[in-house]
Amino acid sequence: MDFLNALSGVAGEGVKKLFQEFKNLINLRSNAECLRQDIDRVKGIGDDLKNQLSGQGRQPKRVVRNWLDTQERNVKSAEEALQQYEQSKDRRFCKCCPNCLLIPKSSRKILNSLAEIDKLLKTKDSDFPKNGELGELPGALVQPMENELVGKFVHEKLEELETWLLKDDSVRVVGVYGMPGVGKTSMLKHINNNEKVVNFFKLVIWVTVSRDSDISDLQRRICERIELPWRSNSTIDEAAGLLQTVFKEKPLLLILDDVWKRIDVSKLGISLSDNKIKVVLTSRDKEVCRSMEADKMIAMKQLSEEDGWELFCRGAFPAGEDQNMDSEIEPLARSIAKECKGHPLAIKTLARTVPQLHNSSPSEWEYVLYQLKAIDTQFYRIHEEIVRELFKPLKHSYDALESEELRLCFLYLAAYREDEEIDADDLIQLWLAEGLVKSREEGRHGFLKTLANRCLVEVEVTEENGYHIWKVKIHDVLRDMAVHVAEVDQNILFRAGQSLTEFPKSASATSVRISVMHNRIRILPESVDCEKLVTLLLSWNTVEEVPEGFLEKLNMLKVLGLSNTPIKSLPKSIHQLKHLLYLQLSNTQIKVIPHQIFELSRLQFLDLSFSPLKNIPSMIKKLKSLQILKLAHCYDLEFVSCDISHLTSLEELDLWKSTMFGNSRDVRVGGESREASLQDVCKLHRLKHLRLILKSQIEEKTMGNLVELQELWLLWMPEVRQTYLPTDMRAMHSLERLHLYNCHVKGTPDLFPELKNLKYLKLKSSQILLTLSGIGLARLSNLNEIDIEECLLLTELGEDFGRKGCFPRLRKLKLWMLPSLESVCSFVEEGALPMLQTLTIFRCMQVKVLPPGLDNLNSLEQIKGEKEWWNEISWRNEEMKKHLHTRYVEIHDNYHV
């Protein structure tokens, strides 16, 4: 070694490089060992940082987040260098073949990785905050609410509440109380969304309490709200200690909505001795506010007659229409409004049931008033949780629904817990199983829209990954009414979320539907006499076993829900449920599908997601009526029979994060049919939704049969290099949403232009994609959202993004973690991107300039990104910066996609 060092000292530059290479080769083994140690070291540091942030419920500051991103890339590159070294270390260095050339190449890679990791460690020491504050708490979440509150009294109390929270240090707890439907929650939604309140407290946490909530449940929901991992085995004291550490000396407003009994907030981890923390609660009961030691209280009351009339007119008539009301109709309309006794909930709901003003006669209004007065509250034996004054208008709103099916769909919402945010697709799937609606579209755009328009439910629609996600909520008073009416009128027993420990004894031979979801039922009776039962929902209980006799008399059952229970098997008697259409078994402990299930010839929906299922046997082919099969996140799933190809009615197949599919093989397991291949799945020509993981490239002439496919998710294993998509995918004319993970797509430029109905495209983790130019996206007339994530080499989107006539319907463009991306495009022509509403640029720190002309887009509503990124943009035109910032920008200190 000394000889080499001496010789290199007197040699020329070319010789020096050669000697250096030999020197590196001699040190290759020790360098590789050093790199292994460095990888373990930075991995450990990264894990410690993530655990520290997670333990504090914080999101990383920009410098920490960038360090973690760089660490992940460096570790991945270093591991690839070591893998290459392992493949070549036993070869002799002769430079006579490509394999031998790997040796000096891997040596250089190892040295580069050592240098990068050394730089990474120095960056941590120099750039991280010296005070140890590595992360930030998330801000307030906006609560959906009415645009404007009605009534002078309400506005006065809102101002009082704001003053107490922002200016009066002596006020720690504020209680807002009053009867149901009087506007307590609406007032607090305005406080939650108040910009001055959010800026003052920094952290605003909203928790809907409900009558069955306990301290542990509230702690869990607070942790979820601030993205703090919840440990189910934590004691109340441990969780409280953790939360108290997180909230220490941080301005916090905790909003507790719908409190039924005293809550000791100190057990939640909230210290009221800290003058930066305040609590606001709503309750029906003044004594609950007193028990919470409220420093100030607000008694909400019904609206005055005139305020009630104003609110009624808003809901019943288009703007200004009531100004020209017929003199005979107005006193009738006012009488109808007065029946609500000033309750905002009743007024809003009832207002949506009255006749249209422009084409109705006084007799129609008289009939509405007659129906309203004719409702006999005594008949319904109104229990204490339904205010008798509220029941009449709410019951009339229910009675006024146009069909029995629509009324049943409304009652179905009471099958869920109070205050639960219901996934609309799950709800509609139940409606479909009972035949109440004919399609998902009718459920969403027909029935749910009608119920929302009548103010009987709240529907919130958000968009994520190309989906429109519908969430449904029902006011607890409307739910109470639905529970009561369902039991009296329809023989329906809804007891969800009531802390039941046993199956209800009130279930009888006449019971048609039973829901006991979210209770503590551990043991089911040996048998139940409910021969007319159509729906039975037992999900979210602690049931460990379904007795053999329990299902024997339920011959009419169509819907059975047992998800999120620890059951390990089903009784043999399940084969007797010949009418069963819906079977929900997700997140159970079932490892083997009992063969009796395969005798359920009418079964249309089967969900075994998140279960320790081992295999899908050949008998699956007997379920000829199956339309939806969910097997996502079955991590132990090792075998799916090729006979899955016989499920010719299947419209949805979800195997995301479960077993992997490759090309056709003739391998048989223990006499079973062979393992299913991608070709077998693609025989299911009626599929509309498909999610798969692939362990090999897709071959040509594989996917052309899926002509009805509307949504496709494909994830390739990292070692698979799919550089093109098969040309027969051009036959997928119905495809609307396409998600491609680890697909190194750059070929097949004529494919995308054929996907005329494509609305959403996601490309994630494409490691060789340099540009979006040339793959044919620009003229897709229906493409309205593009999502590009973690494509590390992508340097440009392409000039098409700024050209007139390209991307005619693009509304959303999301660019996430693209470290090489330098620009969106160089210039946006007049008339280009005519429908672009949202541009998201996140963790794309090389984007230093926004294209000129972007500020002239009339449709643009938001530019989302990080505050640090926005501040580092170079502006050719200060007017452009001012114009964009004033009109569009939604910049966050720590933007979270």
Side-chain angles (χ1 to χ4, degrees):
M1 184 63 70
D2 291 338
F3 168 74
L4 287 174
N5 290 335
L7 188 58
S8 68
V10 297
E13 287 301 317
V15 176
K16 283 183 178 180
K17 288 182 180 179
L18 184 60
F19 275 113
Q20 184 61 46
E21 192 165 286
F22 273 108
K23 184 177 177 181
N24 293 339
L25 288 171
I26 291 171
N27 293 329
L28 180 56
R29 181 173 295 180
S30 61
N31 286 343
E33 186 56 38
C34 287
L35 185 58
R36 286 192 186 92
Q37 294 173 6
D38 280 1
I39 289 172
D40 291 340
R41 183 182 174 191
V42 295
K43 274 186 173 180
I45 293 172
D47 290 343
D48 288 344
L49 286 172
K50 291 174 185 176
N51 289 336
Q52 184 177 342
L53 289 163
S54 176
Q56 296 173 350
R58 296 172 182 262
Q59 298 167 351
K61 290 185 175 179
R62 174 178 168 255
V63 64
V64 178
R65 187 174 62 248
N66 288 345
W67 190 93
L68 288 169
D69 291 343
T70 305
Q71 178 242 22
E72 288 181 8
R73 292 198 299 272
N74 287 354
V75 165
K76 185 175 181 180
S77 177
E79 289 176 339
E80 288 175 355
L82 284 178
Q83 185 179 7
Q84 192 176 84
Y85 163 69
E86 291 295 332
Q87 292 172 351
S88 62
K89 68 179 182 180
D90 295 329
R91 304 181 188 277
R92 294 183 178 181
F93 179 47
C94 62
K95 286 195 174 183
C96 62
C97 66
N99 286 332
C100 295
L101 288 171
L102 288 174
I103 300 174
K105 189 175 180 180
S106 64
S107 174
R108 287 192 291 273
K109 279 192 172 183
I110 286 173
L111 286 171
N112 289 339
S113 292
L114 285 167
E116 289 294 333
I117 290 177
D118 183 59
K119 180 181 175 182
L120 186 69
L121 294 170
K122 289 177 180 177
T123 299
K124 178 180 179 295
D125 293 337
S126 62
D127 295 354
F128 273 29
K130 303 305 179 187
N131 60 4
E133 291 285 344
L134 303 178
E136 301 163 324
L137 288 169
L141 291 179
V142 175
Q143 291 288 332
M145 64 181 188
E146 302 274 335
N147 291 329
E148 187 180 345
L149 295 174
V150 172
K152 181 181 177 182
F153 169 81
V154 175
H155 285 95
E156 288 175 352
K157 294 304 176 183
L158 199 58
E159 288 180 12
E160 277 186 23
L161 179 54
E162 185 181 311
T163 300
W164 292 335
L165 294 176
L166 302 182
K167 298 178 181 179
D168 192 338
D169 290 339
S170 67
V171 176
R172 319 300 315 146
V173 180
V174 179
V176 181
Y177 67 92
M179 64 180 60
V182 80
K184 304 183 296 296
T185 299
S186 296
M187 175 182 280
L188 291 203
K189 284 183 177 180
H190 278 263
I191 288 294
N192 179 89
N193 297 353
N194 185 306
E195 188 175 350
K196 288 187 287 186
V197 171
V198 171
N199 290 336
F200 181 85
F201 283 101
K202 307 302 182 187
L203 182 59
V204 179
I205 297 178
W206 179 292
V207 181
T208 302
V209 179
S210 303
R211 74 189 81 188
D212 61 328
S213 298
D214 56 23
I215 292 293
S216 180
D217 180 55
L218 295 177
Q219 288 176 328
R220 174 185 59 79
R221 284 192 275 160
I222 291 172
C223 287
E224 288 174 353
R225 165 65 184 86
I226 62 173
E227 300 178 11
L228 183 67
W230 172 252
R231 298 174 177 85
S232 57
N233 59 349
S234 296
T235 66
I236 288 174
D237 290 341
E238 289 170 342
L242 178 61
L243 287 170
Q244 189 164 358
T245 301
V246 170
F247 298 140
K248 188 177 182 181
E249 297 181 358
K250 296 294 179 186
L252 164 68
L253 175 62
L254 176 64
I255 299 175
L256 300 173
D257 187 36
D258 198 18
V259 179
W260 286 75
K261 57 187 177 183
R262 181 179 180 273
I263 297 171
D264 185 347
V265 294
S266 65
K267 291 185 177 181
L268 295 177
I270 305 296
S271 174
L272 292 177
S273 61
D274 187 334
N275 60 14
K276 293 183 179 181
I277 294 178
K278 294 193 178 186
V279 175
V280 181
L281 68 119
T282 71
S283 179
R284 300 182 184 188
D285 190 346
K286 181 179 181 180
E287 292 306 314
V288 171
C289 297
R290 282 181 174 166
S291 71
M292 298 275 294
E293 300 177 2
D295 301 298
K296 297 286 185 179
M297 290 191 284
I298 295 174
M300 295 295 290
K301 60 184 182 181
Q302 296 97 314
L303 297 176
S304 67
E305 186 174 324
E306 279 308 307
D307 288 338
W309 173 244
E310 180 187 343
L311 184 58
F312 181 85
C313 289
R314 282 189 192 180
F317 315 122
E321 189 180 90
D322 55 304
Q323 301 300 317
N324 301 313
M325 193 180 304
D326 185 283
S327 59
E328 291 186 67
I329 290 178
E330 182 171 349
L332 293 168
R334 284 184 175 272
S335 296
I336 291 169
K338 284 173 67 176
E339 285 292 317
C340 298
K341 310 297 184 185
H343 292 282
L345 174 65
I347 293 169
K348 289 187 293 183
T349 305
L350 186 62
R352 301 302 178 92
T353 70
V354 296
Q356 292 183 354
L357 196 59
H358 67 277
N359 62 358
S360 61
S361 64
S363 61
E364 292 177 74
W365 290 82
E366 287 176 351
Y367 183 63
V368 172
L369 187 58
Y370 166 77
Q371 286 182 310
L372 195 57
K373 291 179 176 293
I375 294 172
D376 182 4
T377 56
Q378 296 301 321
F379 172 75
Y380 284 93
R381 305 186 304 279
I382 305 304
H383 52 83
E384 61 183 14
E385 286 151 12
I386 306 177
V387 179
R388 200 171 291 273
E389 296 167 345
L390 271 172
F391 185 79
K392 276 192 174 186
L394 297 182
K395 177 63 166 56
H396 177 271
S397 298
Y398 163 78
D399 289 336
L401 293 172
E402 289 81 357
S403 67
E404 181 65 17
E405 288 79 12
L406 185 53
R407 286 189 282 274
L408 281 172
C409 285
F410 168 72
L411 296 179
Y412 232 119
L413 281 101
Y416 294 84
R417 282 184 303 178
E418 181 179 282
D419 296 315
E420 184 168 353
E421 192 175 62
I422 304 166
D423 185 285
D425 282 346
D426 291 345
L427 174 66
I428 292 169
Q429 197 62 53
L430 295 173
W431 292 352
L432 283 165
E434 286 218 29
L436 301 175
V437 295
K438 296 180 177 65
S439 67
R440 189 171 296 179
E441 288 69 29
E442 183 185 23
R444 281 185 171 188
H445 302 290
F447 283 29
L448 273 182
K449 279 286 184 72
T450 299
L451 293 174
N453 289 338
R454 299 290 181 85
C455 291
L456 289 167
V457 300
E458 295 177 20
V459 176
E460 183 181 2
V461 183
T462 57
E463 196 167 348
E464 183 179 332
N465 290 336
Y467 285 112
H468 283 98
I469 300 172
W470 292 50
K471 296 291 185 182
V472 186
K473 284 193 73 173
I474 179 172
H475 193 284
D476 53 3
V477 176
L478 281 162
R479 182 185 177 277
D480 288 339
M481 188 268 290
V483 168
H484 202 63
V485 171
E487 186 167 351
V488 175
D489 286 359
Q490 301 284 349
N491 292 317
I492 295 174
L493 193 64
F494 287 153
R495 297 289 185 269
Q498 293 191 5
S499 302
L500 301 181
T501 56
E502 59 181 30
F503 194 77
K505 292 183 172 62
S506 52
S508 68
T510 59
S511 296
V512 179
R513 296 170 186 87
I514 295 175
S515 171
V516 287
M517 293 192 291
H518 289 280
N519 280 294
R520 300 169 187 169
I521 300 171
R522 189 174 66 85
I523 299 175
L524 294 174
E526 289 297 322
S527 66
V528 288
D529 186 14
C530 298
E531 58 185 26
K532 293 185 178 180
L533 198 64
V534 172
T535 293
L536 177 58
L537 300 174
L538 289 158
S539 301
W540 296 96
N541 277 283
T542 55
V543 174
E544 297 179 354
E545 181 184 5
V546 180
E548 188 64 43
F550 182 78
L551 300 176
E552 284 183 348
K553 296 181 181 180
L554 306 183
N555 296 327
M556 300 303 294
L557 204 63
K558 291 183 179 180
V559 173
L560 178 59
L562 284 161
S563 63
N564 296 281
T565 60
I567 61 168
K568 296 180 180 179
S569 63
L570 292 171
K572 295 177 182 178
S573 56
I574 195 169
H575 79 278
Q576 297 176 213
L577 306 181
K578 300 300 183 183
H579 296 278
L580 197 67
L581 301 176
Y582 175 103
L583 182 56
Q584 174 59 269
L585 298 169
S586 64
N587 204 21
T588 59
Q589 295 303 308
I590 294 176
K591 295 182 179 180
V592 178
I593 303 177
H595 66 84
Q596 289 84 4
I597 284 182
F598 301 121
E599 297 179 36
L600 304 175
S601 60
R602 295 189 182 185
L603 194 65
Q604 296 177 1
F605 176 98
L606 177 60
D607 189 351
L608 284 151
S609 302
F610 295 94
S611 64
L613 204 62
K614 295 290 186 181
N615 71 82
I616 305 297
S618 176
M619 291 179 71
I620 191 76
K621 64 186 177 186
K622 297 178 69 175
L623 298 179
K624 296 291 187 183
S625 300
L626 200 63
Q627 296 176 7
I628 296 176
L629 178 58
K630 292 178 176 285
L631 298 165
H633 301 276
C634 294
Y635 302 111
D636 297 329
L637 189 60
E638 298 173 351
F639 178 80
V640 176
S641 168
C642 66
D643 289 321
I644 197 173
S645 64
H646 293 282
L647 300 178
T648 53
S649 297
L650 206 62
E651 296 181 4
E652 181 174 339
L653 177 60
D654 190 351
L655 280 147
W656 196 246
K657 302 295 180 71
S658 294
T659 190
M660 296 177 289
F661 287 79
N663 293 309
S664 184
R665 296 185 302 149
D666 254 341
V667 177
R668 298 179 181 273
V669 178
E672 255 285 8
S673 60
R674 63 172 172 80
E675 181 181 1
S677 66
L678 179 60
Q679 285 83 351
D680 294 314
V681 171
C682 292
K683 292 177 183 177
L684 300 169
H685 66 279
R686 295 186 62 180
L687 278 179
K688 291 181 172 63
H689 306 271
L690 176 62
R691 303 209 308 169
L692 291 178
I693 300 180
L694 301 173
K695 59 184 176 183
S696 63
Q697 293 188 28
I698 304 176
E699 297 176 348
E700 284 288 352
K701 298 182 180 179
T702 298
M703 306 193 72
N705 193 46
L706 301 177
V707 293
E708 295 186 27
L709 205 64
Q710 297 174 2
E711 178 181 37
L712 177 61
W713 292 51
L714 294 174
L715 166 62
W716 283 263
M717 296 304 292
E719 62 271 14
V720 181
R721 304 285 284 187
Q722 183 88 40
T723 56
Y724 67 93
L725 292 172
T727 57
D728 61 329
M729 283 181 65
R730 286 180 292 192
M732 296 181 183
H733 298 304
S734 300
L735 194 65
E736 296 181 358
R737 294 180 296 276
L738 178 59
H739 301 245
L740 302 173
Y741 294 70
N742 289 334
C743 179
H744 312 299
V745 56
K746 60 178 181 178
T748 329
D750 57 345
L751 168 61
F752 284 107
E754 296 296 320
L755 305 178
K756 303 293 186 183
N757 285 305
L758 195 66
K759 295 179 181 178
Y760 174 87
L761 174 65
K762 181 169 189 170
L763 295 175
K764 183 171 181 178
S765 302
S766 176
Q767 302 306 317
I768 62 175
L769 187 65
L770 302 177
T771 178
L772 296 185
S773 291
I775 61 174
L777 298 178
R779 299 195 182 277
L780 286 176
S781 60
N782 288 300
L783 188 62
N784 57 45
E785 186 170 353
I786 299 176
D787 188 347
I788 312 295
E789 300 184 13
E790 299 179 28
C791 298
L792 302 185
L793 299 182
L794 187 74
T795 57
E796 64 167 11
L797 297 187
E799 293 307 309
D800 285 345
F801 280 86
R803 291 199 181 107
K804 184 178 180 179
C806 299
F807 301 101
R809 291 183 180 270
L810 189 66
R811 292 188 297 108
K812 293 185 178 182
L813 176 59
K814 177 179 169 185
L815 309 172
W816 187 82
M817 198 172 174
L818 307 173
S820 302
L821 186 69
E822 296 176 354
S823 70
V824 178
C825 58
S826 60
F827 184 80
V828 178
E829 297 176 357
E830 186 176 353
L833 300 174
M835 299 185 70
L836 188 68
Q837 296 175 356
T838 303
L839 172 62
T840 300
I841 302 177
F842 182 63
R843 299 198 202 179
C844 303
M845 299 308 294
Q846 298 305 313
V847 178
K848 302 293 187 183
V849 178
L850 291 176
L854 188 67
D855 53 330
N856 294 324
L857 297 182
N858 293 326
S859 60
L860 191 62
E861 296 175 357
Q862 289 179 313
I863 299 176
K864 295 184 178 182
E866 300 156 291
K867 183 177 181 180
E868 293 83 359
W869 165 75
W870 178 259
N871 290 338
E872 290 180 12
I873 292 177
S874 300
W875 297 96
R876 301 172 187 168
N877 184 337
E878 284 297 318
E879 282 301 311
M880 179 182 174
K881 176 182 180 181
K882 182 179 179 181
H883 186 61
L884 284 174
H885 197 280
T886 303
R887 286 184 59 193
Y888 312 125
V889 178
E890 183 182 311
I891 298 297
H892 302 267
D893 289 337
N894 184 23
Y895 182 67
H896 184 68
V897 175

PDB file of all heavy atoms in Angstrom, residues 674-686:
ATOM      1  N   ARG A 674     -54.593 -25.160 -10.097  1.00  0.00           N
ATOM      2  CA  ARG A 674     -53.375 -24.368 -10.081  1.00  0.00           C
ATOM      3  C   ARG A 674     -53.647 -22.970  -9.526  1.00  0.00           C
ATOM      4  O   ARG A 674     -54.790 -22.513  -9.423  1.00  0.00           O
ATOM      5  CB  ARG A 674     -52.792 -24.266 -11.479  1.00  0.00           C
ATOM      6  CG  ARG A 674     -53.685 -23.560 -12.487  1.00  0.00           C
ATOM      7  CD  ARG A 674     -52.942 -23.344 -13.795  1.00  0.00           C
ATOM      8  NE  ARG A 674     -53.844 -22.847 -14.821  1.00  0.00           N
ATOM      9  CZ  ARG A 674     -54.234 -21.584 -14.923  1.00  0.00           C
ATOM     10  NH1 ARG A 674     -53.821 -20.703 -14.027  1.00  0.00           N
ATOM     11  NH2 ARG A 674     -55.052 -21.199 -15.895  1.00  0.00           N
ATOM     12  N   GLU A 675     -52.580 -22.288  -9.201  1.00  0.00           N
ATOM     13  CA  GLU A 675     -52.656 -20.931  -8.683  1.00  0.00           C
ATOM     14  C   GLU A 675     -53.160 -19.989  -9.780  1.00  0.00           C
ATOM     15  O   GLU A 675     -52.802 -20.121 -10.944  1.00  0.00           O
ATOM     16  CB  GLU A 675     -51.266 -20.498  -8.222  1.00  0.00           C
ATOM     17  CG  GLU A 675     -51.217 -19.102  -7.645  1.00  0.00           C
ATOM     18  CD  GLU A 675     -49.808 -18.727  -7.228  1.00  0.00           C
ATOM     19  OE1 GLU A 675     -48.888 -19.557  -7.411  1.00  0.00           O
ATOM     20  OE2 GLU A 675     -49.625 -17.607  -6.729  1.00  0.00           O
ATOM     21  N   ALA A 676     -54.004 -19.051  -9.382  1.00  0.00           N
ATOM     22  CA  ALA A 676     -54.550 -18.107 -10.349  1.00  0.00           C
ATOM     23  C   ALA A 676     -53.460 -17.196 -10.893  1.00  0.00           C
ATOM     24  O   ALA A 676     -52.548 -16.783 -10.173  1.00  0.00           O
ATOM     25  CB  ALA A 676     -55.651 -17.270  -9.701  1.00  0.00           C
ATOM     26  N   SER A 677     -53.554 -16.894 -12.151  1.00  0.00           N
ATOM     27  CA  SER A 677     -52.626 -15.985 -12.810  1.00  0.00           C
ATOM     28  C   SER A 677     -53.360 -14.708 -13.201  1.00  0.00           C
ATOM     29  O   SER A 677     -54.589 -14.612 -13.083  1.00  0.00           O
ATOM     30  CB  SER A 677     -52.046 -16.644 -14.059  1.00  0.00           C
ATOM     31  OG  SER A 677     -53.073 -16.846 -15.024  1.00  0.00           O
ATOM     32  N   LEU A 678     -52.606 -13.750 -13.698  1.00  0.00           N
ATOM     33  CA  LEU A 678     -53.221 -12.528 -14.196  1.00  0.00           C
ATOM     34  C   LEU A 678     -54.172 -12.844 -15.350  1.00  0.00           C
ATOM     35  O   LEU A 678     -55.239 -12.232 -15.467  1.00  0.00           O
ATOM     36  CB  LEU A 678     -52.132 -11.553 -14.653  1.00  0.00           C
ATOM     37  CG  LEU A 678     -52.614 -10.229 -15.223  1.00  0.00           C
ATOM     38  CD1 LEU A 678     -53.435  -9.457 -14.204  1.00  0.00           C
ATOM     39  CD2 LEU A 678     -51.440  -9.398 -15.713  1.00  0.00           C
ATOM     40  N   GLN A 679     -53.795 -13.815 -16.167  1.00  0.00           N
ATOM     41  CA  GLN A 679     -54.656 -14.202 -17.290  1.00  0.00           C
ATOM     42  C   GLN A 679     -56.010 -14.714 -16.804  1.00  0.00           C
ATOM     43  O   GLN A 679     -57.050 -14.451 -17.422  1.00  0.00           O
ATOM     44  CB  GLN A 679     -53.970 -15.268 -18.157  1.00  0.00           C
ATOM     45  CG  GLN A 679     -52.866 -14.728 -19.049  1.00  0.00           C
ATOM     46  CD  GLN A 679     -51.535 -14.587 -18.331  1.00  0.00           C
ATOM     47  OE1 GLN A 679     -51.463 -14.739 -17.110  1.00  0.00           O
ATOM     48  NE2 GLN A 679     -50.482 -14.308 -19.078  1.00  0.00           N
ATOM     49  N   ASP A 680     -56.008 -15.446 -15.669  1.00  0.00           N
ATOM     50  CA  ASP A 680     -57.274 -15.949 -15.116  1.00  0.00           C
ATOM     51  C   ASP A 680     -58.159 -14.796 -14.654  1.00  0.00           C
ATOM     52  O   ASP A 680     -59.376 -14.790 -14.900  1.00  0.00           O
ATOM     53  CB  ASP A 680     -57.002 -16.895 -13.938  1.00  0.00           C
ATOM     54  CG  ASP A 680     -56.306 -18.169 -14.379  1.00  0.00           C
ATOM     55  OD1 ASP A 680     -56.732 -18.764 -15.377  1.00  0.00           O
ATOM     56  OD2 ASP A 680     -55.323 -18.549 -13.724  1.00  0.00           O
ATOM     57  N   VAL A 681     -57.555 -13.824 -13.979  1.00  0.00           N
ATOM     58  CA  VAL A 681     -58.327 -12.673 -13.515  1.00  0.00           C
ATOM     59  C   VAL A 681     -58.924 -11.916 -14.699  1.00  0.00           C
ATOM     60  O   VAL A 681     -60.074 -11.468 -14.653  1.00  0.00           O
ATOM     61  CB  VAL A 681     -57.430 -11.744 -12.667  1.00  0.00           C
ATOM     62  CG1 VAL A 681     -58.158 -10.435 -12.358  1.00  0.00           C
ATOM     63  CG2 VAL A 681     -57.018 -12.436 -11.376  1.00  0.00           C
ATOM     64  N   CYS A 682     -58.146 -11.809 -15.769  1.00  0.00           N
ATOM     65  CA  CYS A 682     -58.595 -11.024 -16.919  1.00  0.00           C
ATOM     66  C   CYS A 682     -59.669 -11.727 -17.748  1.00  0.00           C
ATOM     67  O   CYS A 682     -60.164 -11.164 -18.729  1.00  0.00           O
ATOM     68  CB  CYS A 682     -57.399 -10.659 -17.798  1.00  0.00           C
ATOM     69  SG  CYS A 682     -56.287  -9.487 -16.994  1.00  0.00           S
ATOM     70  N   LYS A 683     -60.043 -12.936 -17.365  1.00  0.00           N
ATOM     71  CA  LYS A 683     -61.179 -13.595 -18.000  1.00  0.00           C
ATOM     72  C   LYS A 683     -62.511 -13.089 -17.438  1.00  0.00           C
ATOM     73  O   LYS A 683     -63.568 -13.382 -18.007  1.00  0.00           O
ATOM     74  CB  LYS A 683     -61.090 -15.111 -17.802  1.00  0.00           C
ATOM     75  CG  LYS A 683     -59.942 -15.772 -18.556  1.00  0.00           C
ATOM     76  CD  LYS A 683     -59.878 -17.261 -18.246  1.00  0.00           C
ATOM     77  CE  LYS A 683     -58.684 -17.930 -18.927  1.00  0.00           C
ATOM     78  NZ  LYS A 683     -58.589 -19.373 -18.571  1.00  0.00           N
ATOM     79  N   LEU A 684     -62.440 -12.351 -16.332  1.00  0.00           N
ATOM     80  CA  LEU A 684     -63.652 -11.850 -15.682  1.00  0.00           C
ATOM     81  C   LEU A 684     -64.114 -10.600 -16.426  1.00  0.00           C
ATOM     82  O   LEU A 684     -63.878  -9.458 -15.999  1.00  0.00           O
ATOM     83  CB  LEU A 684     -63.364 -11.553 -14.207  1.00  0.00           C
ATOM     84  CG  LEU A 684     -62.894 -12.764 -13.381  1.00  0.00           C
ATOM     85  CD1 LEU A 684     -62.372 -12.321 -12.019  1.00  0.00           C
ATOM     86  CD2 LEU A 684     -64.009 -13.782 -13.223  1.00  0.00           C
ATOM     87  N   HIS A 685     -64.799 -10.804 -17.530  1.00  0.00           N
ATOM     88  CA  HIS A 685     -65.065  -9.719 -18.460  1.00  0.00           C
ATOM     89  C   HIS A 685     -66.056  -8.687 -17.931  1.00  0.00           C
ATOM     90  O   HIS A 685     -66.176  -7.603 -18.500  1.00  0.00           O
ATOM     91  CB  HIS A 685     -65.591 -10.293 -19.789  1.00  0.00           C
ATOM     92  CG  HIS A 685     -66.920 -10.961 -19.680  1.00  0.00           C
ATOM     93  ND1 HIS A 685     -67.062 -12.258 -19.210  1.00  0.00           N
ATOM     94  CD2 HIS A 685     -68.171 -10.505 -19.940  1.00  0.00           C
ATOM     95  CE1 HIS A 685     -68.349 -12.572 -19.211  1.00  0.00           C
ATOM     96  NE2 HIS A 685     -69.038 -11.542 -19.643  1.00  0.00           N
ATOM     97  N   ARG A 686     -66.763  -8.981 -16.828  1.00  0.00           N
ATOM     98  CA  ARG A 686     -67.721  -8.010 -16.286  1.00  0.00           C
ATOM     99  C   ARG A 686     -67.109  -7.116 -15.210  1.00  0.00           C
ATOM    100  O   ARG A 686     -67.788  -6.258 -14.639  1.00  0.00           O
ATOM    101  CB  ARG A 686     -68.943  -8.732 -15.710  1.00  0.00           C
ATOM    102  CG  ARG A 686     -69.770  -9.466 -16.764  1.00  0.00           C
ATOM    103  CD  ARG A 686     -71.042 -10.037 -16.193  1.00  0.00           C
ATOM    104  NE  ARG A 686     -71.931  -9.005 -15.674  1.00  0.00           N
ATOM    105  CZ  ARG A 686     -73.112  -9.246 -15.114  1.00  0.00           C
ATOM    106  NH1 ARG A 686     -73.532 -10.501 -14.990  1.00  0.00           N
ATOM    107  NH2 ARG A 686     -73.872  -8.272 -14.666  1.00  0.00           N
TER     108      ARG A 686
END
